[in-house]
């Protein structure tokens, strides 16, 4: 690459080079993921008993994905047709231009398929890595970490690879970012259902398994006699692996699209078609490209000695993430210099990376029992379940303050450096190292699964201890990951909202808070996360209820089950969870698409802008509150189980279990679903913007 | 009154008449309250034992108010000095004019004293009516209702009387609504501390009494052996009577002030001084005046036959409220016609009244066990405390939808009829019948107290049954009242925010959601209710913890207490609750004043506007969620106690008690405090507006 000051022709060459580089990086990422995947599957799959359990989980997970994707295919086709008719072929005559080629619909389909593919890859490898992690854990901590982490890396690197490939190729073909926005919409659609459906599945299975197994029958967690154990293990994969991957895939592509769209406005262009190759528009793609390289290099730093303890394991994960971040910054600095862009953009990317880390660390502070908030929460179990509930809700609410201030500061600074373009670019910076941050996050459920398998296959208790250590480490990185997912979702959604405002092209003053329609939209928007959280929590309640009935039925009707002489009907429990999740994800999913469109049509474009801001504000805070309250309850219980405050079986432990059970849908269903809600509504607004003029 | 079309001179006459009418209505209200109060105190105070308990409650309540008002006096004097220096004497030269007379500071002092006085009157009569209600309950349901309702009426009518007197006299003297805004600020300051302090007090005592008494020692509720019973009874008065009264006093005066301020803008006047006597500016005062008359007449309709059952009692309360609403509408219609104003303003007042009723009814639907949401919630107790917690949180979140849509619709319609002036006038309409709606609300704690006294004084169980019936009716009206308080708070705060925007006089476009500072303010604002709710919930936790320690200590150290041979040290428990509340109310209280001022100074006037809207949106939704979740848990417990789903003492009941305990700070401390937070921050912005230019 070379400086762009020499004129237009150089731009084109630089452009082609940058897009080419992005495509190469995407392909390299997928090849790297493939090599790692082969490495994982080459490992010893273990004894026949282990393989049997592993296959049951694989079949359950595949059955879920098959059902989910079949249902979604209908939804996706309907939306694609709507996009083709109203946007691409412009039957209402509002879009202007039209073009006659269904570009938006096509981008949408590619986005939906890309998101589905990323989820499928991540889950396929996770359900193969779990048994192999259990087998490796017989040897020691480090080999087990390697298998689990490699499988997480497959997921992380696939997500960024597919995401970058999709955005850069579509942008190169259409050169119109409003068409490429369809790719983001496709990714969001799948993400919503994956998060909501997966979240409902995993918690229905978890709560159902715990309430009947642990509480009513008094058998240990993950006991093979419990008919819901396989469903519980499947849930970790469909919820925490596939759901999380789809969520961040969406943020990743959304932030790039929003930055390009805002760059178009900043350059004063009418559309990206005329100046699509301006360095300012290509910078987000380039930062993401550099990020993929940095993430791949970072993964090589995640290794420890044979005698590694927990602290060293955590440190090795952190080293990988920090090194990747440093590499991104160096690469970005060089790129900005060579492209002749304003160096202030470097600070924007830095701010994005740092803000993500602070929000993640704040989540860790509030939810890890190494720190005082969760320790104090555990102490509130002394006076029973009511006080630990009040304490956890208070903790969750209080934990919104640091992320809130960080987001506000990041917004203010990046805007000061580079306008709304800067705010969106900060999200790209935050997500640039996603390949490795997602890997540290996605390996947790694999370790969790390995522990379950060790239990079910009656392996040496030392194996379970090692997988528990990995799982506990996974909880810490998962808390960080959740904070990170929320922070990036907010910046992405803000960028998309700003891009929407540019797209509808209405006056700055029309978005005024003194406009009653903006306020009306804002209150409706603020209400949406509450409605969404309520619907998803009640859905978990209903699906878990069905699971409880089924598990009770099996214990009642299958003679010899409790004694261990007869086998549980795992498949039936898996089917119950799958059906529950499918049924329950429809209403919240449709609401997220229909409400913004209706508000845009009935109350107008300004009201829809208000709706997005209202939803972003409350969605952000509610998501943080739910994630951190849930995480803190979970770890308060673990803290007591580690022998503090009376330990397992004490009254304090009973109280903490209540907190943990309430926290489950908080942190794994409703909270994460809010990330998607705010992004999906923003991208729906952006894609359908011409209709609201 | 006569038509204004004839010109300016008529206006002045009309004006003087309207102000005079308002002053007369205010005085009539206070005389009416005095007569009712004398009527209450004339009733038989009961046996020596009853009087002894009554005195203990009186002393406790007085001790709390004395401590609270002493602390607040310092705060009020400091703020008054700040107002005099920065606003009235204008040392920064930003206000322009200045005037040299400390009008704002004086209005502030009058507002603070007025609010304090209203709270004092309401509480003084409540702590005298409780014993007398218990005595009357020996005769029957109807005489007991009369005493309790009369005491509630004293509170309701005093609030509107003092409020209207203050606003109209100050407006007549200063003729400048920005000076009169100081009155609203004074009222808000006291309200905040009264709600927060009273809320912490009452829940610390309640939780402390329940956890040790009912759970640990297994003695019944309100048992005289429990050292916290008197504090618990005191709490009903300082929290539910004085706190609620101060809350609505603030909404009442705030809505009138906001409407006048927006009327000034609608008329295109530079300040209200020049056209202070325009019918449009006097209309809110006139509607409030008509409302006082209507409320007084309405109270006479609240009476039932001797054989009245619950349905009839509830109906008699509703008849009073509906009749008052009808009278207000008739009077307003005539007034608008005679003043020659646009008749669309009639519809605005009507919409306000109807919106208040719908929001109140929606709260009742979600929290009464007559309806399916609470019944289904009670059923979730079958699977333990965790599921009833999830269910209640979901119910609370879902219950934000109807009020949200009603507020959005009311905003849209009233704006369409009469601009932002119309939105504020709708709040005046909603609150016009406050004299009687507050009466139906404030009588509940009196009945609750009477029940406690009946228990402590070992009266015939039939007495307790009757007071329980009244109390249960009170819970229904309290739920309605809470919804009503929140709805009116939102409309008032929106009106104040619009008045603030006019006062800072910055451009409509500067308040755009595309301005990053507005968004930054909005996110900080949206965070404030979460922070505030967290702080108040944790405060209740700490204060309740201190109470638990004290009650345990007394049971341990006072020999013979549990056996009933020795007397508990009630005063000590009262002191613990008082100290806890005083200590804990300072930080949240100061935050509510300091944060908006800081944001205004550092980020500017537009950011402060964003902060207000953010806080209104999340404060509104969070307040509804907390109030309705709390109410539903409370009534789910009562539903089980009524013999359903296993009844008292069952596992289901234990689970429901957990819900109720979590719900207590939700519905009686944190939720209601959010009403005040949003109004206080709005009026702080309005009063200090000149400093942020």
């Amino acid at each position: 690459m070379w400086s762009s000051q020499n004129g237009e022709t150089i731009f084109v060459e630089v452009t082609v080079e940058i897009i080419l580089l992005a495509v190469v990086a995407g392909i390299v990422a997928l090849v790297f993921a493939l090599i790692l995947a082969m490495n994982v599957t080459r490992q010893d799959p273990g004894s026949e008993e282990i393989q049997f359990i592993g296959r049951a989980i694989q079949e359950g997970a595949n059955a879920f994905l098959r059902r989910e994707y079949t249902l979604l295919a209908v939804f996706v086709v309907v939306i694609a047709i709507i996009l083709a008719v109203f946007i691409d072929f412009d039957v209402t005559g509002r879009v202007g231009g039209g073009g006659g080629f269904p570009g938006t619909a096509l981008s949408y389909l590619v986005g939906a398929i890309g998101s589905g593919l990323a989820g499928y890859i991540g889950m396929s490898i996770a359900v193969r890595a779990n048994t192999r992690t259990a087998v490796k854990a017989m040897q020691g901590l480090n080999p087990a970490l390697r298998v689990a982490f490699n499988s997480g890396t497959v997921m992380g690197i696939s997500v960024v690879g597919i995401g970058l490939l999709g955005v850069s190729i579509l942008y190169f073909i259409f050169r119109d970012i409003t068409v490429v926005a369809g790719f983001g919409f496709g990714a969001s659609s799948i993400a919503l259902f994956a998060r909501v459906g997966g979240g409902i599945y995993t918690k229905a299975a978890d709560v159902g398994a715990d309430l009947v197994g642990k509480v009513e029958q008094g058998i240990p967690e993950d006991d093979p006699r419990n008919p819901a154990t396989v469903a519980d293990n499947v849930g970790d994969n469909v919820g925490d692996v596939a759901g999380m991957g789809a969520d961040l895939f969406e943020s990743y592509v959304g932030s790039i699209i929003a930055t390009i769209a805002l760059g178009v406005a900043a350059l004063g262009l009418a559309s990206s078609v005329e100046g699509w190759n301006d360095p300012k528009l290509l910078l987000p793609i380039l930062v993401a490209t550099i990020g993929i390289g940095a993430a791949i290099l970072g993964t090589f730093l995640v290794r420890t000695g044979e005698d590694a303890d927990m602290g060293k394991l955590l440190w090795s994960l952190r080293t990988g993430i920090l090194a990747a971040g440093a590499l991104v910054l160096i690469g970005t600095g060089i790129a900005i210099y060579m492209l002749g862009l304003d160096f202030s953009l470097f600070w924007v990317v830095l701010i994005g990376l740092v803000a993500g880390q602070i929000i993640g660390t704040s989540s860790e502070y509030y939810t890890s029992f190494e720190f005082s908030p969760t320790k104090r929460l555990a102490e509130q179990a002394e006076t029973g379940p009511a006080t630990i509930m009040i304490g956890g809700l208070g903790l969750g609410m209080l934990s919104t303050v640091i992320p809130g201030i960080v987001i506000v500061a990041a917004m203010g600074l990046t805007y000061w450096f580079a306008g709304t373009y800067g705010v969106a670019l900060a999200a790209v910076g935050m997500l640039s190292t996603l390949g490795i941050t997602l890997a540290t996050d996605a390996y947790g459920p694999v370790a969790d699964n390995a522990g379950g398998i060790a239990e079910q296959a009656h392996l040496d208790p030392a194996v379970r201890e090692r997988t528990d250590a990995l799982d506990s480490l996974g909880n810490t990185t998962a808390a960080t990951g959740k904070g990170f997912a929320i922070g990036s979702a907010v910046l992405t959604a803000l960028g998309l909202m700003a891009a929407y405002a540019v797209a509808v092209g209405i006056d700055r003053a029309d978005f005024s808070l003194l406009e009653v329609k903006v306020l009306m939209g804002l209150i409706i928007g603020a209400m949406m996360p509450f409605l969404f959280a309520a619907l998803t929590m009640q859905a978990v309640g209903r699906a878990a209820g069905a699971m409880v009935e089924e598990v009770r039925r099996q214990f009642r009707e299958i003679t010899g089950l409790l004694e261990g002489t007869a086998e549980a009907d795992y498949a039936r429990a898996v089917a119950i969870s799958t059906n529950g999740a499918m049924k329950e994800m429809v209403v919240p999913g449709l609401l997220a698409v229909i409400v913004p469109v209706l508000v845009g049509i009935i109350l107008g474009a300004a009201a829809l802008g208000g709706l997005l801001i209202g939803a972003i504000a409350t969605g952000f805070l509610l998501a943080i509150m739910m994630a951190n309250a849930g995480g803190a309850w979970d770890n308060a219980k673990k803290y007591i189980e580690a022998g503090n405050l009376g330990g397992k079986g004490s009254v304090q432990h009973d109280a903490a279990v209540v907190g943990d059970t309430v926290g489950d849908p908080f942190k794994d269903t409703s909270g994460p679903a809010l990330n998607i809600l705010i992004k999906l509504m923003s991208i729906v607004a952006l894609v359908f913007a011409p209709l609201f003029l």
Side-chain angles (χ1 to χ4, degrees), chain A:
Chain A
M1 270 168 286
W2 46 89
S3 167
S4 65
Q5 276 107 336
N6 307 1
E8 180 73 13
T9 44
I10 307 280
F11 276 2
V12 179
E13 283 182 65
V14 172
T15 304
V16 174
E17 268 189 27
I18 289 177
I19 296 281
L20 199 66
L21 212 61
V23 172
V24 169
I27 293 169
V28 166
L30 292 181
V31 171
F32 181 69
L34 184 68
I35 294 171
L36 280 182
M38 279 161 45
N39 180 297
V40 168
T41 51
R42 248 203 323 271
Q43 307 298 321
D44 177 12
S47 67
E48 188 45 48
E49 192 173 8
I50 294 178
Q51 289 190 42
F52 172 79
I53 299 163
R55 265 196 308 277
I57 297 173
Q58 273 177 45
E59 280 162 20
N62 284 334
F64 175 80
L65 272 205
R66 213 166 28 241
R67 282 282 302 277
E68 187 178 56
Y69 288 171
T70 312
L71 190 65
L72 288 188
V74 179
F75 176 83
V76 165
V77 167
V78 170
I79 297 279
I81 292 171
I82 291 174
L83 286 174
V85 171
F86 287 96
I87 305 295
D88 292 321
F89 296 113
D90 188 22
V91 292
T92 61
R94 288 166 178 236
V95 181
F101 182 79
T104 311
L106 191 76
S107 297
Y108 176 80
L109 285 177
V110 175
I113 293 169
S115 174
L117 192 65
Y120 179 75
I121 292 173
M123 226 191 60
S124 297
I125 191 69
V127 295
R128 281 168 180 81
N130 52 8
T131 47
R132 290 161 173 91
T133 301
V135 173
K136 283 285 175 193
M138 297 180 194
Q139 296 170 24
L141 209 51
N142 200 37
L145 171 67
R146 282 245 54 92
V147 177
F149 183 73
N150 279 348
S151 114
T153 306
V154 172
M155 171 77 177
I157 298 289
S158 304
V159 161
V160 293
I162 296 173
L164 186 58
L165 269 180
V167 169
S168 50
I169 293 176
L170 288 172
Y171 186 56
F172 186 74
I173 295 173
F174 294 112
R175 306 194 169 189
D176 184 350
I177 195 63
T178 60
V179 172
V180 182
F183 182 75
F185 184 19
S188 285
S189 304
I190 299 297
L192 181 81
F193 291 105
R195 259 297 196 200
V196 173
I200 293 170
Y201 185 107
T202 180
K203 289 307 129 187
D206 192 5
V207 172
D210 284 1
L211 274 183
V212 184
K214 281 204 284 193
V215 181
E216 291 181 12
Q217 303 287 348
I219 57 178
E221 195 159 349
D222 293 323
D223 191 289
R225 289 170 291 175
N226 192 331
T229 39
V230 169
D232 192 6
N233 282 333
V234 171
D236 293 339
N237 293 296
V238 301
D240 300 345
V241 177
M244 180 67 131
D247 184 350
L248 284 159
F249 180 79
E250 180 199 17
S251 281
Y252 188 74
V253 300
S255 66
I256 296 174
I257 292 168
T259 312
I260 297 177
L262 292 169
V264 172
L267 291 171
L269 303 173
S271 100
S272 63
V273 180
E274 38 175 315
W276 73 281
N277 47 9
D278 189 283
K280 198 157 185 172
L281 304 193
L282 293 174
L283 183 64
I285 291 179
L286 188 54
V287 171
T289 306
I290 296 166
I292 286 192
I296 292 178
L297 292 175
T299 59
F300 289 105
L301 295 174
V302 181
R303 43 184 75 243
T304 55
E306 265 322 298
D307 55 343
D309 59 3
M310 285 290 297
K312 279 192 189 138
L313 283 179
L314 185 59
W315 190 243
S316 87
L317 291 179
R318 288 222 173 108
T319 308
I321 291 176
L322 289 177
L327 289 173
V328 163
L329 286 176
I330 293 168
T332 301
I334 295 170
I336 286 172
Y337 176 76
M338 291 182 80
L339 286 171
L341 288 166
D342 194 308
F343 200 70
S344 62
L345 297 179
F346 173 81
W347 301 116
V348 168
V349 174
L350 174 69
I351 289 167
L353 270 167
V354 171
Q357 288 304 315
I358 298 179
I359 295 175
T361 307
S362 143
S363 290
E364 196 185 322
Y365 170 73
Y366 276 106
T367 61
S368 159
F369 61 64
E370 302 285 318
F371 302 104
S372 62
T374 298
K375 267 190 204 154
R376 272 205 305 268
L377 181 64
E379 283 159 19
Q380 288 179 282
E382 301 261 15
T383 32
T387 42
I388 200 170
M389 287 305 316
I390 295 176
L393 290 165
L395 179 150
M397 288 180 176
L398 200 61
S399 75
T400 62
V401 174
I402 293 176
I405 290 171
V406 168
I407 286 288
V408 166
M411 273 169 64
L413 286 172
T414 54
Y415 184 88
W416 187 68
F417 277 122
T420 46
Y421 174 81
V423 177
L425 185 62
V428 176
M430 191 185 278
L431 290 163
S432 58
T433 56
L434 182 64
I436 185 164
T437 42
L438 188 53
T440 61
D441 205 16
Y443 103 94
V446 174
D448 190 358
N449 254 250
I453 292 166
E455 195 80 36
Q456 287 166 262
H458 311 288
L459 301 185
D460 187 341
V463 175
R464 174 76 193 216
E465 267 170 41
R466 291 193 193 112
T467 59
D468 274 357
L470 289 178
D471 182 24
S472 156
L473 180 62
N475 278 332
T476 304
T477 56
T480 319
K482 275 187 186 116
F484 187 81
I486 298 167
S488 63
V490 171
L491 286 185
T492 302
L494 283 170
L496 289 169
M497 186 272 164
Y500 158 74
V502 171
V504 288
I506 63 175
D507 198 55
R508 208 176 61 133
D510 291 332
F511 269 124
S512 173
L513 287 177
L514 302 179
E515 286 295 316
V516 76
K517 283 192 177 172
V518 173
L519 281 184
M520 290 164 74
L522 195 139
I523 291 180
I524 296 173
M527 209 175 68
M528 285 294 289
F530 282 87
L531 172 60
F532 211 71
L535 291 178
T536 47
M537 283 204 293
Q538 294 188 335
V540 170
R542 276 189 299 265
M547 181 62 96
V548 165
E549 290 304 315
E550 171 61 21
V551 176
R552 280 186 186 153
R553 187 197 64 79
Q554 291 202 18
F555 273 116
R556 202 172 49 232
E557 295 180 6
I558 303 176
T559 41
L561 178 57
L562 195 59
E563 297 72 30
T565 56
E567 193 151 283
D569 184 355
Y570 300 127
R572 181 83 183 262
V574 166
I576 294 275
S577 235
T578 304
N579 291 339
M582 289 303 119
K583 208 170 63 186
E584 299 287 356
M585 77 183 189
V586 174
V587 172
L590 289 181
L591 268 182
V593 179
I594 292 172
V595 170
V597 173
L598 277 186
V599 167
I601 289 172
I602 297 173
L603 293 175
L608 178 52
L611 177 137
L612 297 182
I613 293 295
I616 291 170
T618 55
F620 168 44
L621 298 163
L622 216 47
I624 298 236
M625 173 198 146
M626 295 182 100
N628 287 349
W633 277 318
D634 187 356
N635 285 327
K637 187 194 72 172
K638 292 213 165 77
Y639 179 69
I640 292 175
E641 285 174 354
N644 301 292
L645 301 162
K648 232 170 172 165
S650 63
V651 198
Q652 290 83 338
H653 185 247
D654 288 349
V657 167
V658 173
D660 183 37
T661 311
V662 176
D664 268 343
F666 260 51
K667 73 183 200 309
D668 294 325
T669 312
S670 303
L674 296 177
N675 298 346
I676 321 239
L677 175 72
I678 62 178
K679 287 179 289 181
L680 177 60
M681 294 205 304
S682 304
I683 202 140
V684 165
L686 177 59
V687 170
F688 287 106
L691 299 184
F692 309 136
L693 290 177

